[in-house]
Amino acid sequence: LCPTDFDRLLRMVAPLIERQDTTLRQAIGPAERLAICLWFLATGDSYHTISKSFRVGKSTVVGIVPSVATAIWESLVGEYMPVPQESDWRAIAEGFSSKWAFPHCLGAIDGKHITIKAPADSGSLYYNYKGQFSIVLLAVVDANYLFRVVDIGAFGKSSDGGTLSASALGRALRDGTLNLPDDEPLPNGEHLGKVPFVFVGDEAFPLRKHLLRPYPGRAIPADQRIFNFRLSHARRIVENAFGIMAAQFRVYHRVMELSPCNAEKIVQATTILHNFIRWGHQNSPSTTGSADPGTALNAAGRMGSNTASREALAVREKYREYFNSPCGAVPWQNKVILDGLMES
């Protein structure tokens, strides 16, 4: 954070983190409390190291970091991660259409494991498929690398059993309570009829009416390869967002020595701070750090059943047909056909 952003953030969180002096000691001021929390997020240093740097007790740091992280989330979430309404979804879709050549896209979705130390007496609840203990961050990212919806805290072991379906996002998507725009034709694609607005994800996600995933396999026809290429071109935005966040907050570059509850607070704080930092720079998004999402961020694996309804299959077919037609094709997509010929 630059000094201006720090002062602006301090004004927003100070009422929640300010403490009163007592007859026995003078309270640590809100500016120092915020600085201690931000130092932990930015460096990932241990509580012991931070206590020495700020000349406060280790137990003081232990209390400050999660409480200030909670205050950051509560102070910023209403402004920097508001619940999207229909107009917001349409604005997101316009961003993906103009910047990433994927119309009707409501966001790129992905899940990441946040590696934590083994919680006491938790059994296998947090034990994931990579042999680590973790909680899951499920996120929807817009065309400007902003987190628009996050679901944090699912057990690491649930990565293969439907994290998406069990999340608030999955339930809202299933129940039709996300305020999504009504189906309408794609640009210049009236011949395909009305097409749903969709989220884009990788092969870890199930195929649904409002959620597209790639065609499976490698030896697939050219038109399916083009669809996969166009989908991947839009979907990589969420991977970039995770990478940018991990580059800014090095707490993700090591295993979090925190309880699941406190780790969830840290993830909440970093996602909302990511938006806070970038909110005024949507028109010139930076991909700095996008290549490495951090050692404590790992792919979440399969998010649900691979079975798909006929309706979902028909939606994907319409997008495939659109991307392979003159009205929806872009010149650079032919690269995937040339790559396929070279491989064969």
Side-chain angles (χ1 to χ4, degrees):
L1 292 178
C2 67
T4 302
D5 285 342
F6 180 88
D7 291 340
R8 185 159 57 98
L9 178 61
L10 179 60
R11 289 194 296 270
M12 298 180 74
V13 303
L16 296 181
I17 64 176
E18 191 170 11
R19 298 293 183 267
Q20 298 295 322
D21 295 339
T22 69
T23 56
L24 299 178
R25 68 183 66 182
Q26 185 176 6
I28 297 175
E32 187 173 0
R33 295 173 68 86
L34 178 59
I36 288 172
C37 181
L38 293 178
W39 188 270
F40 175 78
L41 300 179
T43 66
D45 285 348
S46 67
Y47 288 158
H48 177 77
T49 300
I50 294 175
S51 72
K52 297 297 183 183
S53 300
F54 284 84
R55 298 179 132 186
V56 298
K58 178 181 176 181
S59 61
T60 302
V61 178
V62 171
I64 286 176
V65 170
S67 63
V68 175
T70 299
I72 290 172
W73 170 261
E74 293 177 352
S75 300
L76 302 184
V77 66
E79 182 175 351
Y80 292 98
M81 201 184 296
V83 177
Q85 303 301 314
E86 182 178 345
S87 59
D88 300 312
W89 291 125
R90 288 188 177 277
I92 293 171
E94 178 59 32
F96 271 98
S97 181
S98 61
K99 292 187 176 183
W100 308 112
F102 203 111
H104 280 206
C105 180
L106 301 172
I109 184 171
D110 199 9
K112 290 293 183 183
H113 284 287
I114 311 298
T115 308
I116 61 175
K117 71 175 182 179
D121 302 320
S122 63
S124 62
L125 283 177
Y126 295 93
Y127 192 73
N128 64 39
Y129 71 105
K130 287 195 171 183
Q132 302 167 330
F133 292 86
S134 64
I135 60 174
V136 179
L137 163 61
L138 185 68
V140 174
V141 174
D142 70 13
N144 300 302
Y145 304 99
L146 295 174
F147 293 105
R148 303 308 295 259
V149 180
V150 295
D151 190 276
I152 306 165
F155 296 132
K157 76 159 191 174
S158 64
S159 58
D160 287 333
T163 302
L164 175 63
S165 296
S167 69
L169 172 63
R171 291 193 297 271
L173 188 61
R174 185 170 56 251
D175 298 339
T177 58
L178 276 178
N179 302 312
L180 302 184
D182 293 333
D183 300 356
E184 60 185 48
L186 293 163
N188 301 316
E190 289 77 8
H191 62 287
L192 295 173
K194 293 184 178 180
V195 179
F197 287 77
V198 295
F199 299 95
V200 294
D202 61 16
E203 61 278 358
F205 290 90
L207 181 64
R208 297 289 184 264
K209 175 184 176 181
H210 293 287
L211 176 57
L212 292 184
R213 55 165 284 165
Y215 286 96
R218 294 179 60 86
I220 56 177
D223 58 344
Q224 294 184 6
R225 289 175 61 88
I226 287 175
F227 170 86
N228 285 359
F229 184 61
R230 294 286 293 273
L231 184 141
S232 177
H233 183 70
R235 191 202 62 78
R236 68 185 176 88
I237 304 308
V238 67
E239 294 284 354
N240 289 349
F242 285 134
I244 294 168
M245 183 175 69
Q248 292 172 323
F249 303 106
R250 297 186 67 84
V251 68
Y252 288 111
H253 284 240
R254 62 188 69 184
V255 176
M256 291 189 188
E257 298 288 329
L258 303 170
S259 67
C261 179
N262 284 344
E264 183 176 341
K265 295 175 182 178
I266 295 303
V267 177
Q268 286 180 329
T270 54
T271 55
I272 200 65
L273 283 172
H274 169 92
N275 282 10
F276 174 78
I277 294 169
R278 300 185 59 80
W279 198 267
H281 308 284
Q282 296 106 313
N283 294 326
S284 56
S286 167
T287 58
T288 302
S290 61
D292 179 12
T295 56
L297 281 170
N298 297 302
R302 188 164 60 85
M303 287 289 183
S305 171
N306 287 332
T307 58
S309 66
R310 290 183 178 179
E311 182 181 31
L313 291 169
V315 169
R316 184 167 65 179
E317 286 299 302
K318 285 187 176 183
Y319 276 91
R320 176 198 57 76
E321 185 176 347
Y322 178 76
F323 290 145
N324 284 275
S325 67
C327 60
V330 292
W332 43 263
Q333 74 183 31
N334 294 324
K335 177 180 180 296
V336 72
I337 300 178
L338 295 176
D339 290 346
L341 291 175
M342 293 177 64
E343 290 177 3
S344 59

